[in-house]
């Protein structure tokens, strides 16, 4: 195994380079090959060494995307050729990041893998918008779900949102109308508070609030764009969250 490189699956956090772990920052600065996805902020890529090779495997709707198998093959091929590879992903590699699939492909090929956690968008957004995900008097459960079109109707979210619970929805901008309908069909009150946090932990962050029934309208009116998170639950209505919204609006 002497000539085999290691694949580091590294979480880049939600955007701000200051929110990288020390280990992630060290690996980005010292590794010659960085394979990154589209969510990774340019300010983070700027920490790479001047002679490092940066390969984007951005998944963008309009452009040709590198299929997951091709990404796996690229990581394995480079490592077997003896190069260490940093596979840099937005947020945390093991939260809606397909890190598990990439690690599995590496292990199957005999390539050593190390996973470096990152601050997931939910944690970054909660801190930046000052919305506690749990709080003794408002929520003792928090769930992360994926809201993208594929399979949305088959997903069972019953019981994940409501009194005493916080639901965080990733990838839910496009499907906002179906999301609010789905949750209300599950029995959630139309006036359940929610916050939409767009570009959390980046200079252009926006924090917007509405009742559940107003989600689709809010997303359309404010022209919310990905990346954004939807946080649903009593915590989104707290005073601290309201103050953070005002502060964010004042900066616009
Ligand atoms: N692995 C990532 C999630 C990848 S899925 C993580 O742990 O955060 C991509 C989704 O993450 C986006 O559609 C969006 O819902 C969310 N996201 C990522 N970065 C974000 C940011 N800076 N602000 C708000 N949402 C973000």
């Amino acid at each position: 195994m002497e000539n085999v490189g290691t694949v580091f699956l590294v979480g880049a956090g939600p955007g701000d380079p200051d929110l990288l772990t020390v280990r992630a920052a060290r690996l980005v600065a010292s590794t010659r090959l960085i394979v990154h996805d589209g969510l990774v902020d340019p300010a983070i890529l700027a920490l790479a060494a001047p002679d490092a090779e940066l390969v984007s495997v951005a998944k963008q709707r309009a452009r040709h995307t590198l299929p997951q198998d091709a990404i796996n093959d690229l990581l394995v091929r480079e490592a077997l050729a003896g190069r260490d590879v940093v596979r840099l992903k937005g947020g945390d590699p093991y939260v809606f990041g397909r890190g598990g699939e990439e690690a599995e492909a590496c292990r199957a090929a005999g390539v050593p893998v190390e996973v470096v956690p990152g601050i997931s968008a939910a944690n970054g957004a909660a801190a930046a918008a000052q919305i506690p995900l749990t709080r003794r008097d408002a929520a003792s459960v928090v769930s992360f779900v994926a809201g993208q079109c594929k399979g949305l109707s088959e997903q069972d979210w019953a019981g994940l949102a409501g009194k005493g619970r916080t639901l965080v929805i990733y990838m839910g901008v496009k499907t906002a109308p179906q999301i609010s309908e789905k949750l209300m069909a599950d029995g959630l009150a139309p006036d359940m508070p929610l916050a939409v946090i767009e570009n959390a932990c980046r200079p252009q962050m926006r924090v917007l609030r509405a009742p559940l029934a107003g989600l689709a309208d809010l997303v359309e009116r404010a022209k919310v764009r990905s990346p954004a998170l939807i946080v649903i639950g009593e915590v989104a209505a707290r005073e601290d969250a309201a103050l953070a919204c005002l502060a964010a609006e004042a900066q616009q």
Side-chain angles (χ1 to χ4, degrees), residues 62-110:
R63 274 202 269 145
H64 185 71
T65 63
L66 205 52
Q68 189 60 49
D69 281 351
I71 299 174
N72 297 351
D73 289 349
L74 171 68
L75 301 177
V76 166
R77 195 171 60 237
E78 294 292 347
L80 289 179
R83 297 177 88 182
D84 284 342
V85 187
V86 161
R87 172 70 175 109
L88 198 55
K89 295 164 165 293
D92 180 86
Y94 275 4
V95 177
F96 303 126
R98 301 198 185 180
E101 294 169 43
E102 292 173 9
E104 193 176 68
C106 291
R107 282 192 301 265

Side-chain angles (χ1 to χ4, degrees), residues 48-187:
D51 60 344
E53 186 185 346
L54 301 183
V55 179
S56 169
V57 291
K59 293 197 178 63
Q60 285 183 10
R61 295 184 137 227
R63 274 202 269 145
H64 185 71
T65 63
L66 205 52
Q68 189 60 49
D69 281 351
I71 299 174
N72 297 351
D73 289 349
L74 171 68
L75 301 177
V76 166
R77 195 171 60 237
E78 294 292 347
L80 289 179
R83 297 177 88 182
D84 284 342
V85 187
V86 161
R87 172 70 175 109
L88 198 55
K89 295 164 165 293
D92 180 86
Y94 275 4
V95 177
F96 303 126
R98 301 198 185 180
E101 294 169 43
E102 292 173 9
E104 193 176 68
C106 291
R107 282 192 301 265
V111 169
V113 184
E114 183 184 318
V115 183
V116 179
I119 294 181
S120 193
N123 300 105
Q130 299 190 17
I131 297 172
L133 295 177
T134 67
R135 189 178 160 127
R136 282 193 300 166
D137 57 357
S140 59
V141 175
V142 55
S143 308
F144 297 170
V145 297
Q148 85 262 56
C149 314
K150 218 170 116 199
L152 183 61
S153 50
E154 281 102 74
Q155 287 192 54
D156 182 6
W157 292 354
L160 298 183
K163 196 166 168 42
R165 282 156 286 167
T166 303
L167 181 64
V168 182
I169 303 172
Y170 288 67
M171 296 172 278
V173 173
K174 290 251 150 41
T175 47
Q178 292 93 303
I179 284 172
S180 50
E181 273 163 32
K182 181 182 176 72
L183 288 168
M184 287 189 287
D186 282 344

Side-chain angles (χ1 to χ4, degrees), residues 153-235:
S153 50
E154 281 102 74
Q155 287 192 54
D156 182 6
W157 292 354
L160 298 183
K163 196 166 168 42
R165 282 156 286 167
T166 303
L167 181 64
V168 182
I169 303 172
Y170 288 67
M171 296 172 278
V173 173
K174 290 251 150 41
T175 47
Q178 292 93 303
I179 284 172
S180 50
E181 273 163 32
K182 181 182 176 72
L183 288 168
M184 287 189 287
D186 282 344
L188 216 60
D191 63 353
M192 176 60 77
L194 65 80
V196 175
I197 304 129
E198 179 189 62
N199 279 310
C201 310
R202 297 178 181 178
Q204 66 276 34
M205 175 172 94
R206 286 197 295 170
V207 183
L208 307 157
R209 297 195 316 157
L212 178 58
L215 174 62
D217 185 52
L218 174 75
V219 165
E220 198 191 316
R221 217 170 1 97
K223 297 193 167 55
V224 176
R225 295 284 174 268
S226 183
L229 283 181
I230 305 165
V231 178
I232 300 178
E234 214 189 304
V235 292

